Amino acid sequence: MSRPRTEMKCLLLSLLLAAFTEPAGAKTIVVDTPMAPPAWALAEHTLLRESSDGVKEFFDRYLDDRGYLQCVERWGGLDGPDDAMENFNNWTLLYALGAPESVLKLYKRAWEGHILQYTEAKAPGIEMAEHGMYWREFITAFDWEHNGEGLAAFYFYALGKPDDPMYLKRLKRFAGFYNGEDPFADNYDPEHKIIRSLHNGSRGSKISDASQMDWGGLPVEGQPERMDNYATAGNIRGDNPLNLCAATLGMNAYMLTGEDKYKKWLLEYVSAWRDRILENGGNIPTNIGLNGKIGGEWDGKWYGGTFGWNFWPQTASRNYYIRGPRIALGEALMLTADQSFVEPLRQQINNLYAVKKVENGRILLPNKHGDDGWYGYIPNQHFDVQRDIYLWSMDLKDKERIKDDPWIAYLDGRNSGYPLKALQDELQTVRRKVKGLREDPTSPDQRGSDSSQRYNPAATSALVNLTLGGNSPGTAGNVLHSRVRYFDPVKRRAGLTKDVGALVSKIDTDGITLTLVNTNPLEARSITVQAGSYGEHHFETVEIAGKAESVDARDFTVQLKAGSGVEMRIGMRRFTHQPDLAFPWNRVN
């Protein structure tokens, strides 16, 4: 008698599970058309698997049982606290794309370990680090070239675990450091709509001059560059476009809580920067004075400022003027659907091309501007920004300069072999990096926190392009912009369902072409497709084999019979909903 009862219990459990595997009211599409497993679909899951295996090797090689990075803890821009977490900058994104839970568990051990490690770590004689490099689980005060890189994985964690109460508690605290509500962190000036210094964090903004040790940490024998690099970097007063990277704290806090104060602060701050850039003829100022004026701490020069257009004039490097604007303006666009937030980026790129040089058929753009005008010509480094501008605007004029980019050419139907090649290239990169970490001869007392970054084996860029129809968000603390994102409705988690391959082969103003295939010849699979990374878009129709059906929702589910697949044309409206981090079955509306 026990066996029939057991079978009955299993049947009831299966029925209950089936009843709860789809969002209420969502459309379900059943696919039973046979499709042989494409090579790109198999390569996607191979890349997820090998990246995940590599992550485990990386963790075992470079972290101890406490989750501490085995290195010499130092303060500063070369190998400071931010570099500790930059080792893991895309592990959480890898999980959100479909990697196993083990990847997220290892990230959490590293995150919790590094908080303790750098709260304990001190740099005597350095104002913001002598009592601990972290305070209240956050950098005490440093620049957002580094702060954003250290927080990149933290931001993407919310894609996979939006219901983590400790994450929410920390995120709200961190966002409070910048929207004016924290009494110990005087970072934001609401009157002038600026962050008051290039160095800012949980102890507020450092207004006094930054010493070479404030920048480079304590002297290290044999590394004179730690001090020499920052000999002229004392003036950190006023706002800098790098500070716009802090907008992601408010963005994630808003998407998790829906509390208007976070959105209000972000749009107030980012709108002020948008207006300043447009006022300045589309050139991004690299200093806003404490009085709110362009160039206010640099004799009125818009191109002045530490890490600015004319910083380190002897070299064309170290100018980060576009990093923060790319992040923050994209977030403001997502919140408002207002294309005026794209215009500053477009004008800046146009201004650079207007003074371009061509050498041996190669376009060179200026990376510097001084008293005598533009200089520091280098090959175009702004392809990611140019992809963003095009994908946000869908204006063909914005695509013209990047039409030969391999991914863009593929979306235009001119590079059919790109998906498999891109995935195979990333697989080779994973294998090369694992080989490197296995052969790394350095010991913990030789390593800085940045030493192992070159061996991070998590590969995500091709998967973001091909499966989500999104541009790679980079490693500076961005959100994820994409046309779709996926969830496993059975396991109730983010990412591609096991055995399901996804390929976005066309993107246009009002839709995408998406292929979904179940590579498993024996078992059915289900996958939920969401409109946008954060449900910010809206699906209107799904067309299969010339037959269109209405969806009219932010998500739908596809049931793929064993060995089946389908190419579908999905009609959509962009930026029609407020973005949030809820999973489809938990979303209120």
Side-chain angles (χ1 to χ4, degrees), residues 60-79:
D60 291 343
R61 178 71 173 83
Y62 293 114
L63 286 88
D64 65 20
D65 292 340
R66 302 168 296 173
Y68 284 32
L69 190 67
Q70 297 184 71
C71 67
V72 180
E73 295 111 352
R74 298 188 178 107
W75 177 262
L78 290 180
D79 53 0

Side-chain angles (χ1 to χ4, degrees), residues 198-218:
L198 183 56
H199 282 198
N200 52 79
S202 60
R203 293 193 182 275
S205 290
K206 177 178 167 59
I207 302 299
S208 58
D209 282 359
S211 70
Q212 291 182 46
M213 289 201 305
D214 288 329
W215 275 109
L218 299 174

Side-chain angles (χ1 to χ4, degrees), residues 567-585:
E567 180 182 88
M568 57 182 71
R569 161 71 187 179
I570 304 174
M572 62 197 310
R573 301 195 312 272
R574 299 185 300 135
F575 305 121
T576 59
H577 299 283
Q578 284 297 283
D580 63 56
L581 279 154
F583 284 6
W585 42 84

Side-chain angles (χ1 to χ4, degrees), residues 27-97:
K27 187 175 188 64
T28 298
I29 297 170
V30 178
V31 174
D32 59 6
T33 306
M35 179 182 287
W40 55 260
L42 298 172
E44 285 174 356
H45 284 278
T46 301
L47 182 58
L48 284 168
R49 183 178 64 254
E50 293 205 9
S51 289
S52 303
D53 291 346
V55 158
K56 176 65 165 61
E57 284 206 39
F58 184 98
F59 188 96
D60 291 343
R61 178 71 173 83
Y62 293 114
L63 286 88
D64 65 20
D65 292 340
R66 302 168 296 173
Y68 284 32
L69 190 67
Q70 297 184 71
C71 67
V72 180
E73 295 111 352
R74 298 188 178 107
W75 177 262
L78 290 180
D79 53 0
D82 69 287
D83 285 314
M85 283 312 298
E86 196 177 351
N87 283 283
F88 319 97
N89 60 55
N90 60 346
W91 289 20
T92 47
L93 179 57
L94 183 70
Y95 170 78
L97 289 166

Side-chain angles (χ1 to χ4, degrees), residues 454-473:
R454 62 187 180 276
Y455 302 129
N456 174 15
T460 53
S461 294
L463 290 168
V464 170
N465 292 164
L466 298 171
T467 69
L468 307 186
N471 191 23
S472 174

